[in-house]
Amino acid sequence: MEENTELNPEENNNQETITRVGGMYQDWFLDYASYVILERAVPAIEDGFKPVQRRIMHSLKELDDGRYNKVANIVGHTMQYHPHGDASIGDAMVQIGQKDLLIDTQGNWGNILTGDSAAAPRYIEARISKFGLEVVYSPKITEWQLSYDGRKKEPINLPVKFPLLLAQGAEGIAVGLSTKILPHNFVELIDASIKHLKGKRFTIYPDFPTAGIMDVTNYNDGNRGGKVRVRAKISQYDKNTLVINEIPFGTNTSSLIDSILKANDKGKIKIKKIEDNTAAEVEILVHLPSGISPDKTIDALYAFTACETSISPLACVIEDNKPLFIGVSEMLRRSTDNTVQLLKQELEIQLNELEEQWHFASLERIFIENRIYRDIEEEETWEGVISAIDNGLKPHIKHLKRPVTEEDIVRLTEIRIKRISKFDIDKAQQKIDALEEDIAKVKHHLGHLIDFAIDYFTHLKKTYGEGRERKTEIRIFDDIEASKVVIRNTKLYVNRKEGFIGTSLKRDEYVCDCSDIDDIIVFTATGIMMVTKVDTKTFIGKDIIHVAVFKKKDKRTIYNMIYKDGKGGATYIKRFYVSSTTRDKEYDLTNGKSGSYVHYFSANPNGEAEVVTVFLRQVGSIKKLKWDVDFADIMIKGRNSKGNIVSKYAVKRIELKEKGVSTLKPRKIWYDETVQRLNVDGRGDLLGAFKGEDKLLIITQNGIAKTVTPELTMHFESNMIVLEKWNPKKPVSAIYYNGEKELFYVKRFLIENEGREESFISEHPDSQLEIVSTDWRPVVDVEFTKERGKERKPNMEVNIEEFISIKGINAIGNQLTKEKINQINILDSLPFEEPEEVEPKDMEVNDEENVSAENDNENNASKKGDDGPTLFD
């Protein structure tokens, strides 16, 4: 850009001054950007306020008389300091008020849960909260500057003695710069400050007023590049209803419901209707059509709606009129250190004031006790009076801590006769002694400043921390695959002969339901396999023999195939799975010879191995033209494996003789407590190996027992106390308090109704489950309550197997004891050996997890010469 240039006026007096726009733009835009960054959008690190917030708090203090003030009045008063309109001040004040920390509000201040705005400023009122009065203001240590018009003085920074910026959070967009500091928990910030003062390490995480669930794995201390995932808290209300009780930060009930309705309209999820019952607490009821899985819908809500949001923090503050990027931990350290310095300044001022009070109280006592006031009776001039008092004091002031000044003597002359006449030496000495105690205390605080600061933070926590416990639950989230939870509302068709698949081929063969984000796996008669994304019409290759929705990382779907290796070549048999591919790439499952084609193909979701009959063509002197082949005898290998030879002679046809059973081992399932989900990846506690008919037993703290088929999409309630593989022969033992009879009862029962949710304690509101055990022979220790004036009865050990026989789940059980019980503890169970189940001998189990899963590069060797053993000649 060109700099400002002016024509010399001396050369031509009639020529006007010319200023080039380039230079003006460069200077003015930089000034504007600097102004927006420093004076509007980004908070200062010293007190955590943006200028408008600081001016609002200063105005509140000036107006403070203990009563509420109209917000319109406060806004008008703030305009003396803030050179902008009333709307921006009012909005900023509402935001401070909604955080319920510095301002005590009255009236309708809006609702952060529903997104409702506050009433007009003339209708609502505010005053400084007790917490705000204690931590924000200290006029004696505040630095002041002139307001924008020079008529008033305003604080440069308020002396905030608390990590306010982290407690409230901040968000602002400037010119070429922005900031986003997430709010943190009040109590945890104080605890972290105390740890810092003690030299200990600390970690702080956000806490949101809307509660919800949060994953802070990638928080990165609030620095650039970090990310926080926040979810709504969704639970199952009944079999066809979900309830949302907490929402993610940055959303409200209106925006959340809108996102759910949009996802429903797009076909990502399927819901019947939504009810919003939100008042003081969030309650959104999501009604599902019959047949829709609640667990799968919960995952779909997280995947396709605002029920899960991602927040990217950006910790930027102003320090010395410059933007500064620091993490929240460093922010807290600086705030805590600043608080210590502010407390030190306050103590030093307090010490100085106390010493001044002590100094004058001592002078006053000397002046009156030694009747120095009589020395001025003969003096006729003011200078003589001052000199007489000064001379009278000199013999008695050796113990004073500073010299006596003329101002001190003038103050002595202002003492009234009435006060001199009623002067009490003992009371005066008591006052001096009390001042000396206060001085000693303040000096002690100054000498032990860190301990004093720790006591200060402890006081804040004790006084204002009640009711400010963490709202947002910290949890590690599982990653939800959208393709697994999306509602499949589109129909997939195939034209096998011409080789097309797609959603627009409605005149051709229907395959299955799919979604617009699914991948489709296709096999052709020439042994070509391809995975492609769902589209209206896609050409794969002529003579399609199999089409299905592709599941990534699926090792349980086993493909059984018999193919001819080129013209005149041998016939091979192979079994393989497909867990990963490159989209739209053609994979040749034969040896790649011209003329290869597939005789037989099947896809088996649970690794089923069927029996087929092979028919040979009558050529030459072949004696055996027909025999059976069992796929269970073939090992599962990678898709590029050549396979085993079925026959070297020409095959006429292959027919299915017998449907197969699964040859896969029962699937091992683990429960990961961290994410509260099931998995097959070995994370967490092993629940067992599950066959198709096996169930999970779930027992909750409110006395509910149920059995369910394990699915990886399942969600579990927070009050779950038992989760294990269900053994139908194994009894459940329980001790519960019967609220109606006010006694403890013992019961043993079997789960008889599979898939049904049943309560096994009484329905009285005071009834509660005390002990539950799924051990075969549990033992408990009963401790009785000590009666007044008597010795405590010895504990009673109860073998539950002997105490009560197995009864129905609805039986009340046997009374444990009539005595009052203090507590019941479960002991080590008695030994029991469960009889082993004998597996069928004719069922061979191959664990597909241990089978070599060759990929494209690893299988080159097998293509060259791995023919495998010859099964049939």
Side-chain angles (χ1 to χ4, degrees):
M1 290 186 182
E2 298 181 19
E3 297 182 357
N4 296 351
T5 59
E6 295 183 358
L7 293 178
N8 188 347
E10 296 179 358
E11 295 180 2
N12 189 348
N13 293 329
N14 296 326
Q15 187 74 37
E16 294 183 359
T17 301
I18 298 176
T19 304
R20 298 198 180 276
V21 177
M24 293 170 59
Y25 177 82
Q26 185 178 22
D27 295 338
W28 292 359
F29 184 79
L30 185 60
D31 291 342
Y32 170 71
S34 301
Y35 174 76
V36 174
I37 292 169
L38 300 177
E39 296 295 327
R40 292 178 67 175
V42 185
I45 192 171
E46 289 82 5
D47 57 6
F49 286 124
K50 296 179 184 180
V52 64
Q53 296 171 331
R54 187 179 301 112
R55 288 158 181 162
I56 288 170
M57 296 307 298
H58 176 57
S59 296
L60 277 167
K61 179 62 175 173
E62 286 193 324
L63 293 170
D64 182 50
D65 57 1
R67 298 182 297 173
Y68 288 99
N69 284 284
K70 289 283 186 183
V71 168
N73 184 28
I74 300 169
V75 170
H77 195 275
T78 306
M79 290 181 71
Q80 298 178 89
Y81 305 101
H82 196 61
H84 296 281
D86 58 337
S88 62
I89 299 171
D91 291 343
M93 189 168 181
V94 167
Q95 288 178 10
I96 300 173
Q98 287 178 341
K99 288 167 183 173
D100 191 28
L101 197 60
L102 299 179
I103 298 180
D104 186 4
T105 60
Q106 187 165 270
N108 176 17
W109 280 68
N111 190 330
I112 59 172
L113 299 177
T114 62
D116 295 334
S117 58
R122 60 184 179 275
Y123 297 125
I124 56 178
E125 298 178 324
R127 65 182 176 188
I128 308 170
S129 66
K130 291 182 179 178
F131 173 77
L133 284 169
E134 182 162 351
V135 304
V136 174
Y137 305 102
S138 186
K140 293 176 182 177
I141 62 172
T142 303
E143 294 184 24
W144 303 88
Q145 64 183 359
L146 290 175
S147 61
Y148 70 95
D149 61 2
R151 289 189 173 94
K152 294 275 188 176
K153 282 188 177 181
E154 63 174 332
I156 298 173
N157 288 304
L158 286 167
V160 177
K161 301 182 290 295
F162 179 77
L164 190 64
L165 179 57
L166 294 174
Q168 292 193 130
E171 187 170 357
I173 300 175
V175 180
L177 188 70
S178 65
T179 185
K180 190 161 192 172
I181 300 168
L182 303 181
H184 293 68
N185 181 260
F186 181 92
V187 176
E188 291 175 7
L189 288 175
I190 292 177
D191 290 340
S193 292
I194 292 173
K195 284 183 179 179
H196 171 60
L197 292 172
K198 290 181 177 179
K200 298 180 180 179
R201 299 177 64 182
F202 63 87
T203 305
I204 52 175
Y205 295 119
D207 185 28
F208 305 117
T210 54
I213 315 168
M214 171 181 63
D215 186 342
V216 293
T217 306
N218 299 317
Y219 183 45
N220 194 29
D221 202 38
N223 282 303
R224 283 182 290 186
K227 184 176 71 172
V228 174
R229 295 167 64 190
V230 190
R231 285 181 178 175
K233 187 165 280 187
I234 309 174
S235 57
Q236 191 172 336
Y237 189 74
D238 57 42
K239 64 179 182 179
N240 289 324
T241 310
L242 301 176
V243 59
I244 301 173
N245 295 117
E246 297 174 9
I247 60 177
F249 181 67
T251 67
N252 54 59
T253 54
S254 299
S255 63
L256 194 69
I257 291 172
D258 287 344
S259 72
I260 295 173
L261 293 175
K262 286 179 181 178
N264 182 63
D265 293 341
K266 292 179 179 178
K268 304 293 186 185
I269 60 174
K270 200 167 188 179
I271 63 171
K272 187 190 293 182
K273 65 174 182 176
I274 296 180
E275 286 183 60
D276 187 5
N277 300 329
T278 301
E281 302 290 337
V282 172
E283 184 180 272
I284 301 172
L285 298 179
V286 181
H287 298 274
L288 308 178
S290 58
I292 298 295
S293 165
D295 287 322
K296 198 170 180 181
T297 304
I298 291 174
D299 283 347
L301 288 171
Y302 289 143
F304 302 114
T305 75
C307 288
E308 178 178 332
T309 61
S310 181
I311 305 171
S312 298
L314 177 59
C316 177
V317 293
I318 298 299
E319 183 184 53
D320 296 331
N321 290 323
K322 296 176 184 176
L324 175 67
F325 293 90
I326 57 172
V328 293
S329 298
E330 180 61 22
M331 221 178 277
L332 182 115
R333 292 187 194 96
R334 294 193 183 202
S335 173
T336 305
D337 293 342
N338 185 54
T339 298
V340 172
Q341 292 306 312
L342 293 173
L343 291 172
K344 181 182 179 182
Q345 291 179 42
E346 288 184 342
L347 287 172
E348 288 172 346
I349 291 173
Q350 185 182 355
L351 177 61
N352 185 59
E353 290 175 346
L354 287 171
E355 288 180 340
E356 282 299 306
Q357 291 177 34
W358 180 88
H359 179 78
F360 187 74
S362 300
L363 274 181
E364 184 182 57
R365 179 183 174 184
I366 295 168
F367 182 70
I368 298 174
E369 187 179 356
N370 295 288
R371 300 186 178 185
I372 297 172
Y373 53 85
R374 290 186 173 179
D375 296 347
I376 64 175
E377 293 175 353
E378 304 297 329
E379 300 295 334
E380 296 181 357
T381 64
W382 177 250
E383 289 77 9
V385 169
I386 298 298
S387 178
I389 295 174
D390 188 25
N391 292 328
L393 291 172
K394 283 181 180 178
H396 311 287
I397 60 173
K398 293 180 180 178
H399 67 289
L400 297 183
K401 298 175 182 177
R402 69 168 177 82
V404 177
T405 65
E406 187 175 339
E407 291 180 1
D408 296 332
I409 297 173
V410 171
R411 283 186 66 188
L412 290 173
T413 61
E414 294 171 355
I415 299 175
R416 295 184 178 183
I417 298 297
K418 185 177 181 181
R419 186 173 174 187
I420 293 174
S421 63
K422 291 187 176 183
F423 184 74
D424 188 326
I425 294 176
D426 292 334
K427 285 185 177 180
Q429 187 58 44
Q430 289 174 8
K431 179 182 178 182
I432 292 171
D433 292 342
L435 287 169
E436 288 176 348
E437 289 180 8
D438 291 342
I439 290 170
K441 186 186 292 185
V442 173
K443 285 184 176 179
H444 178 269
H445 291 332
L446 282 168
H448 302 80
L449 193 57
I450 299 301
D451 292 336
F452 178 73
I454 291 172
D455 291 341
Y456 170 79
F457 279 112
T458 305
H459 155 73
L460 290 182
K461 179 180 177 180
K462 183 178 179 182
T463 308
Y464 306 105
E466 187 176 351
R468 298 188 183 275
E469 294 78 15
R470 168 167 285 279
K471 293 184 178 181
T472 304
E473 179 186 349
I474 297 176
R475 190 192 298 173
I476 296 176
F477 293 166
D478 55 319
D479 292 323
I480 297 172
E481 291 187 32
S483 60
K484 290 185 178 180
V485 297
V486 67
I487 297 295
R488 292 185 163 85
N489 61 344
T490 305
K491 296 185 183 301
L492 179 67
Y493 302 90
V494 60
N495 185 325
R496 295 182 184 273
K497 187 175 181 181
E498 298 297 327
F500 288 96
I501 64 167
T503 57
S504 64
L505 309 175
K506 296 184 179 180
R507 294 182 180 180
D508 294 306
E509 179 187 342
Y510 165 75
V511 178
C512 63
D513 289 344
C514 64
S515 71
D516 58 358
I517 65 171
D518 277 334
D519 285 325
I520 305 299
I521 188 167
V522 189
F523 297 84
T524 69
T526 57
I528 298 299
M529 179 196 77
M530 180 188 290
V531 173
T532 187
K533 196 168 183 62
V534 167
D535 206 342
T536 53
K537 187 176 182 181
T538 304
F539 178 74
I540 303 295
K542 293 186 177 183
D543 298 324
I544 293 174
I545 58 175
H546 178 72
V547 184
V549 174
F550 177 62
K551 301 176 183 177
K552 293 180 180 178
K553 301 179 182 178
D554 179 18
K555 295 183 178 181
R556 294 191 71 82
T557 299
I558 304 300
Y559 301 99
N560 298 338
M561 188 172 92
I562 300 176
Y563 70 94
K564 182 181 179 183
D565 184 25
K567 293 180 180 180
T571 301
Y572 288 84
I573 184 171
K574 62 190 288 186
R575 301 184 75 202
F576 60 94
Y577 61 81
V578 180
S579 60
S580 62
T581 62
T582 301
R583 188 181 289 162
D584 296 326
K585 177 182 176 181
E586 290 187 355
Y587 292 87
D588 194 339
L589 303 177
T590 70
N591 288 320
K593 294 180 181 178
S594 177
S596 297
Y597 65 92
V598 177
H599 279 294
Y600 179 87
F601 184 89
S602 67
N604 307 280
N606 288 301
E608 292 85 355
E610 64 270 35
V611 178
V612 295
T613 302
V614 179
F615 296 88
L616 296 184
R617 296 184 184 278
Q618 180 66 55
V619 178
S621 59
I622 301 176
K623 296 179 180 180
K624 194 173 184 180
L625 300 177
K626 172 186 172 185
W627 69 90
D628 294 338
V629 175
D630 190 347
F631 274 98
D633 297 329
I634 307 301
M635 286 187 64
I636 301 169
K637 295 187 177 181
R639 61 172 176 262
N640 288 338
S641 172
K642 189 173 183 177
N644 297 343
I645 293 179
V646 176
S647 175
K648 295 179 181 178
Y649 301 106
V651 174
K652 182 178 181 181
R653 70 179 185 276
I654 296 175
E655 294 179 355
L656 175 65
K657 180 179 181 181
E658 181 183 325
K659 290 185 177 181
V661 296
S662 176
T663 56
L664 301 179
K665 279 187 176 181
R667 185 169 61 162
K668 290 184 178 180
I669 296 180
W670 287 262
Y671 175 68
D672 188 348
E673 177 67 31
T674 306
V675 299
Q676 298 181 357
R677 298 296 290 268
L678 301 177
N679 68 87
V680 293
D681 305 322
R683 292 181 282 108
D685 299 322
L686 178 64
L687 298 178
F690 288 76
K691 299 176 187 175
E693 68 276 8
D694 290 335
K695 305 279 185 184
L696 277 173
L697 172 64
I698 299 174
I699 300 177
T700 60
Q701 184 62 58
N702 54 354
I704 300 293
K706 61 181 177 181
T707 58
V708 296
T709 301
E711 296 179 3
L712 301 187
T713 57
M714 289 181 66
H715 289 257
F716 298 93
E717 298 178 24
S718 58
N719 63 347
M720 179 180 68
I721 54 177
V722 172
L723 176 66
E724 62 181 41
K725 185 179 178 181
W726 178 49
N727 184 341
K729 299 177 183 178
K730 194 176 182 183
V732 176
S733 304
I735 300 176
Y736 72 97
Y737 179 76
N738 189 310
E740 183 179 356
K741 299 182 180 293
E742 298 184 346
L743 291 169
F744 285 92
Y745 281 80
V746 184
K747 63 189 295 185
R748 295 178 79 215
F749 57 90
L750 294 172
I751 305 292
E752 298 175 352
N753 300 311
E754 291 185 29
R756 185 188 298 178
E757 192 174 276
E758 295 183 285
S759 175
F760 57 87
I761 66 175
S762 66
E763 296 181 356
H764 193 277
D766 292 335
S767 296
Q768 60 183 16
L769 180 62
E770 184 70 21
I771 292 286
V772 67
S773 173
T774 55
D775 291 341
W776 288 94
R777 303 178 66 194
V779 180
V780 296
D781 179 68
V782 180
E783 182 182 299
F784 297 102
T785 303
K786 184 180 182 302
E787 297 182 22
R788 182 176 294 177
K790 297 181 181 180
E791 291 187 3
R792 189 193 299 271
K793 291 185 178 182
N795 291 4
M796 177 175 67
E797 189 172 293
V798 178
N799 179 348
I800 295 181
E801 181 188 33
E802 295 177 352
F803 190 84
I804 186 172
S805 60
I806 297 174
K807 299 181 179 180
I809 192 171
N810 295 320
I812 189 172
N814 291 355
Q815 182 180 305
L816 180 60
T817 178
K818 291 184 178 179
E819 304 292 335
K820 289 187 176 181
I821 293 174
N822 184 37
Q823 65 179 6
I824 303 173
N825 300 312
I826 193 161
L827 304 176
D828 292 336
S829 300
L830 297 175
F832 179 83
E833 291 187 7
E834 184 181 359
E836 295 183 2
E837 292 186 11
V838 180
E839 295 288 338
K841 292 183 179 179
D842 59 346
M843 178 179 173
E844 181 179 341
V845 177
N846 296 323
D847 185 359
E848 82 282 13
E849 298 292 341
N850 296 324
V851 174
S852 161
E854 298 91 349
N855 58 30
D856 295 343
N857 295 326
E858 293 172 344
N859 282 302
N860 292 333
S862 65
K863 277 200 170 186
K864 292 178 181 177
D866 182 16
D867 291 346
T870 302
L871 295 179
F872 306 98
D873 294 328

